């Protein structure tokens, strides 16, 4: 891995931090805050590809764990990861990797429709699949309750999928970095 | 950029980062096996005593711990209504003890010590092509890129205003392309100067100059 890749990885970890500075909306009955950071997860995967995108977001998760206040509202530290919503943060790198993998597979015919699909699976579905059971286990909640409690995220996530897909398609045209797979 | 570290002289601060993380891992796992309210309450008491030993002012401890409370309260309330208040107490105590202990590790361990621990953990992976000494470099670069992104965002906005572009014209894509070019250029400059690529090169001691806006060591 060359220094260029290292710099790109650092850049997207920084993008995650900047997205965390956006005002945070906390709903009274929802155990996890709305955050713009899942947008960064999708962007990292769909612009850098699986390996670099996954590493960029893994780096961000490491920054959280080593105690930098990089989550919305200046939160950070291992406590957040071990808490009820920590599964979503642990899922971020996996989500970026999956987004990147799907993007690489679709790269030759990549367009807005593919971008929407890749981002929705990697940047939303993967996060739910890891984050919601985590919430159920850590909070000793029935899985069904954890799922119903998470429905409120759908509209926001749909909006982020669209924003990320539009940006990914535009960046592919101007500055393509992903290498097609298969 | 501020770290959540709280400077003080205490036996807890003096413990090596690796030891603290190991204790946290062990205590965290144990807490999920315990299903007794008195034991967990005692564990929470021990954690509070550790805060006192670590000389963390209650104000600092509170500032660090309050943000994790809302989800905890919601879960405990849901638990109480669904399965009874004894389970709610169990879950709340367990989470509180684990989260407070984790926050204590964060408050008493320097970011640099954490980075060093990660480098040490990655060292066995060296035969697989992992270069642990690059962790410090990449963390420094990330911290440096945060204000750079802000600068670039201001520039994109100013350029769009100067062209009289309508509000709501794509902003994210131009910003991403600009910062991607900048990062790629910086990476190539690092390669050209052999930073982070030499066998024994120490990222932390390397000095890199690439103009005022792309200095990775700038404000560490």
């Amino acid at each position: 891995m060359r220094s260029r890749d290292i710099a790109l990885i650092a850049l997207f970890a920084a993008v995650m931090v900047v997205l965390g500075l956006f005002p945070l909306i906390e709903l009274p009955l929802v155990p996890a805050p709305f955050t713009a950071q899942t947008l960064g997860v999708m962007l990292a995967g769909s612009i850098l590809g699986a390996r670099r995108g996954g590493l960029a977001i893994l780096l961000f998760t490491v920054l959280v764990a080593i105690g930098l206040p990089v989550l919305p509202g200046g939160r950070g530290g291992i406590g957040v990861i071990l808490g009820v919503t920590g599964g979503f943060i642990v899922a971020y790198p996996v989500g970026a990797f999956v987004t990147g993998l799907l993007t690489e597979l679709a790269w030759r015919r990549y367009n807005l429709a593919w971008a929407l699909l890749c981002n929705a699976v990697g940047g939303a579905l993967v996060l739910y699949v890891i984050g919601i059971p985590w919430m159920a286990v850590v909070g000793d909640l029935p899985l069904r309750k954890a799922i119903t409690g998470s429905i409120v995220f759908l509209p926001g996530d749909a909006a982020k999928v669209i924003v990320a897909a539009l940006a990914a398609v535009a960046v592919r045209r101007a500055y393509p970095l992903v290498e097609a797979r298969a | 950029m501020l770290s959540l570290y709280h400077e003080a002289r205490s036996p807890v601060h003096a413990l090596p980062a690796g030891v603290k993380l190991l204790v946290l891992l062990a205590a965290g796992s144990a807490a999920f096996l315990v299903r007794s309210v008195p034991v967990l309450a005692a564990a929470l008491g021990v954690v509070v005593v550790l805060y006192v030993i670590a000389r963390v002012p209650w104000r600092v401890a509170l500032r660090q711990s309050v943000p994790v409370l809302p989800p905890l309260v919601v879960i405990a309330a849901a638990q109480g209504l669904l399965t009874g208040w004894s389970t709610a107490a169990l879950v709340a105590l367990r989470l509180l003890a684990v989260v407070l202990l984790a926050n204590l590790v964060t408050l008493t361990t320097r970011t640099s010590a954490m980075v060093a621990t990660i480098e040490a953990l990655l060292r066995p992976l060296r035969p697989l092509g992992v270069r642990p000494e690059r962790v410090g470099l990449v963390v420094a670069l990330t911290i440096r890129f945060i204000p750079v992104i802000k600068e670039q965002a201001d520039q994109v906005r100013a350029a769009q205003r100067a062209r009289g572009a309508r509000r709501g014209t794509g902003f994210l894509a131009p910003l991403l392309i600009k910062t991607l070019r900048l990062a790629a250029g910086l990476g190539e400059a690092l390669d050209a100067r052999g930073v982070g690529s030499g066998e024994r090169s120490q990222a932390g001691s390397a000095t890199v100059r690439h103009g005022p806006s792309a200095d990775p060591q700038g404000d560490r």
Side-chain angles (χ1 to χ4, degrees), chain A residues 1-4 6-7 10-12 14 17 31 59 62 66-67 69-70 75 77-79 82 84 138-141 170 174-175, chain B residues 1-2 4 21 24 67 71 75 79 91 95 98 102 106 111 114 118 134 141-142 145-146 173 177 179 183-184 187-188 191:
Chain A
M1 186 172 290
R2 301 178 61 81
S3 295
R4 183 167 169 269
I6 304 238
L11 175 68
F12 270 83
V17 177
L59 171 61
V62 168
I66 65 177
V70 292
R75 297 175 312 146
I78 313 163
L82 294 180
V84 184
V138 172
D140 235 336
L141 274 178
Y175 199 74
Chain B
M1 174 159 203
L2 277 174
L4 297 172
L21 289 171
L24 177 61
I75 290 287
Q79 215 38 271
V91 170
L95 278 171
V98 172
T106 303
T111 303
M114 291 280 199
I118 294 166
R134 289 193 157 191
L141 275 176
T142 304
F145 273 137
I146 295 162
I177 294 161
T179 49
E188 274 147 26
D191 268 341

Side-chain angles (χ1 to χ4, degrees), chain B residues 41 48 61 145 148 172 175 179 206:
Chain B
V48 171
F145 273 137
V148 172
L172 189 58
L175 175 60
T179 49

Side-chain angles (χ1 to χ4, degrees), chain A residues 95-127:
Chain A
F97 183 85
V98 172
T99 307
L101 195 64
L102 296 173
T103 305
E104 286 170 10
L105 289 169
W107 192 242
R108 286 184 215 288
R109 58 218 133 131
Y110 197 72
N111 54 23
L112 189 61
W114 280 108
L116 288 170
L117 183 70
C118 298
N119 289 336
V121 174
L125 195 63
V126 169
L127 303 193

Side-chain angles (χ1 to χ4, degrees), chain A residues 141 154 177:
Chain A
L141 274 178
L154 283 176
L177 287 163

Side-chain angles (χ1 to χ4, degrees), chain B residues 151-220:
Chain B
E151 280 164 27
Q152 299 294 317
D154 292 342
Q155 282 186 24
V156 170
R157 206 170 291 130
Q160 290 190 335
R161 211 176 296 132
R163 288 200 309 270
R166 281 182 298 114
R167 270 184 78 86
T169 315
F171 170 72
L172 189 58
L175 175 60
L176 284 168
I177 294 161
K178 233 165 130 62
T179 49
L180 280 168
R181 289 215 168 101
L182 203 131
L186 173 66
E188 274 147 26
L190 287 177
D191 268 341
R193 281 149 224 225
V195 176
S197 55
E199 280 301 309
R200 291 260 163 263
S201 122
Q202 271 293 314
S205 62
T207 325
V208 189
R209 291 268 164 228
H210 186 257
S213 67
D215 178 1
Q217 314 276 321
D219 57 2
R220 207 149 45 138

